[in-house]
Amino acid sequence: MATFRDEDGSVTNLATIQQIVKPGLFYTTPSCIYRKNWKMAICPYKYAKLNIKIDASSPEHGQTESIMVRDDQPDSPETLTGVKTNEFLTILGGTHSYTLHWSNGIPRKFAIYTFCTKGVELNQYVRVGMCMPSDATFNLFTRTPLRPLKLVDWTEVQSIEEFDSDTLGDRYFWDKSIGMLFLKFMTATNQELILQP
């Protein structure tokens, strides 16, 4: 997935930080500028790559596709069919949220993760909802910003508003009425890119 962040405006000739992304409603908003000669869009957002991986031991491995929907563009989902890992580019900052769906049933075991070099930044998070049956059992874990390793270490909140106000990254909201489990991907540290000559 091609993307580039122009931190200093030297590529886009724009003063603010811009991300160059694939054109299309899933990736862009009306605030983006399409560059025809690049066949890419210039957007005033920071993005992170979220990786979706179905565990190889899951019977659904190779049998279902991951479908990510940006909630303000429900008619323009992004479907990826990678056998090992699917990478979705998401807008950071909490201004946009996403839901993860499956083409052929919810895998019994899957992971959503991000790498620090491609991922979330301090005060720049992404909210993701996942289809989940109301009688499902699940476990959550994270490596950052905290280290809750068991579901009992997480706090279930009772509303999406309470969930959205979370600043620690150890909350989840399970809306059983619609079958959706909500998580936030966030970090408590700055990411720095250090280039060595």
Side-chain angles (χ1 to χ4, degrees):
M1 173 180 312
T3 186
F4 173 78
R5 185 178 296 168
D6 186 11
E7 296 278 349
D8 62 4
S10 60
V11 175
T12 60
N13 292 321
L14 298 168
T16 58
I17 294 174
Q18 303 287 321
Q19 187 102 10
I20 301 164
V21 299
K22 176 180 170 181
L25 292 176
F26 181 82
Y27 300 104
T28 63
T29 72
S31 298
C32 298
I33 303 165
Y34 180 68
R35 288 286 297 263
K36 188 176 181 180
N37 59 329
W38 292 356
K39 297 182 181 170
M40 298 290 275
I42 302 168
C43 298
Y45 309 105
K46 290 184 177 183
Y47 290 74
K49 290 182 180 179
L50 288 184
N51 298 278
I52 314 296
K53 182 177 181 179
I54 300 173
D55 192 273
S57 67
S58 184
E60 297 80 11
H61 185 262
Q63 306 299 314
T64 189
E65 299 171 330
S66 47
I67 303 165
M68 191 71 80
V69 175
R70 199 175 84 201
D71 295 337
D72 65 321
Q73 290 291 344
D75 296 329
S76 300
E78 186 73 3
T79 302
L80 296 178
T81 58
V83 175
K84 292 187 177 181
T85 302
N86 291 321
E87 264 187 354
F88 291 96
L89 196 60
T90 58
I91 298 172
L92 292 174
T95 57
H96 297 81
S97 60
Y98 297 83
T99 52
L100 174 63
H101 306 265
W102 304 96
S103 64
N104 192 26
I106 301 166
R108 288 189 178 90
K109 189 174 182 182
F110 66 93
I112 303 176
Y113 58 94
T114 184
F115 294 108
C116 63
T117 57
K118 303 176 188 176
V120 296
E121 298 177 16
L122 185 64
N123 301 319
Q124 300 284 318
Y125 67 89
V126 63
R127 181 179 89 183
V128 178
M130 291 154 270
C131 292
M132 189 77 66
S134 60
D135 62 346
T137 57
F138 59 89
N139 193 10
L140 302 172
F141 75 92
T142 183
R143 293 195 175 110
T144 62
L146 307 171
R147 286 187 144 316
L149 299 177
K150 299 177 184 167
L151 190 58
V152 297
D153 298 321
W154 291 70
T155 302
E156 181 177 5
V157 296
Q158 302 306 309
S159 71
I160 198 71
E161 294 79 18
E162 187 180 357
F163 174 75
D164 283 342
S165 67
D166 171 36
T167 58
L168 297 175
D170 66 346
R171 310 284 193 265
Y172 69 94
F173 174 54
W174 190 6
D175 189 340
K176 294 179 184 177
S177 67
I178 61 169
M180 194 70 65
L181 174 68
F182 293 93
L183 298 173
K184 260 188 198 174
F185 291 83
M186 58 195 308
T187 186
T189 59
N190 275 321
Q191 305 296 329
E192 290 184 26
L193 179 62
I194 299 172
L195 301 177
Q196 304 222 348

